[in-house]
Amino acid sequence: MVTAGTFPFDQDVWELYNLNEDFAETNDLAAKNPEKLEALKKAWDEQAWKNNVYPLYDDINSRIATQFQAGLR
């Protein structure tokens, strides 16, 4: 579990699994299916905008700490 630091989203690596055949996620299919991965990334992005997920923050711990400190005042 990650509990400190920031982790820039532009350095994230997307993975792709067929959960019907590989529920343990042991076989990453992203390299073998780049078109499918891109289609799913696009769908994720569209749904994120539609459901007000953006903006994303990669510094969640500092944001929580700031909100916590604000609540103490």
Side-chain angles (χ1 to χ4, degrees):
M1 178 176 180
V2 176
T3 59
T6 60
F7 305 90
F9 296 125
D10 62 351
Q11 295 178 15
D12 285 351
V13 176
W14 288 75
E15 299 174 351
L16 180 63
Y17 299 96
N18 180 343
L19 298 180
N20 291 326
E21 298 175 6
D22 180 22
F23 67 91
E25 298 179 1
T26 57
N27 184 22
D28 183 2
L29 302 170
K32 293 179 181 178
N33 297 286
E35 313 84 25
K36 183 66 171 181
L37 180 63
E38 288 306 312
L40 291 170
K41 287 168 60 175
K42 181 180 178 194
W44 188 95
D45 189 60
E46 290 169 357
Q47 289 300 313
W49 283 111
K50 180 179 174 182
N51 292 286
N52 298 314
V53 172
Y54 289 120
L56 295 176
Y57 298 98
D58 63 357
D59 61 346
I60 191 68
N61 288 325
S62 65
R63 290 176 52 77
I64 291 170
T66 299
Q67 293 298 318
F68 179 74
Q69 289 173 352
L72 295 178
R73 295 181 191 151

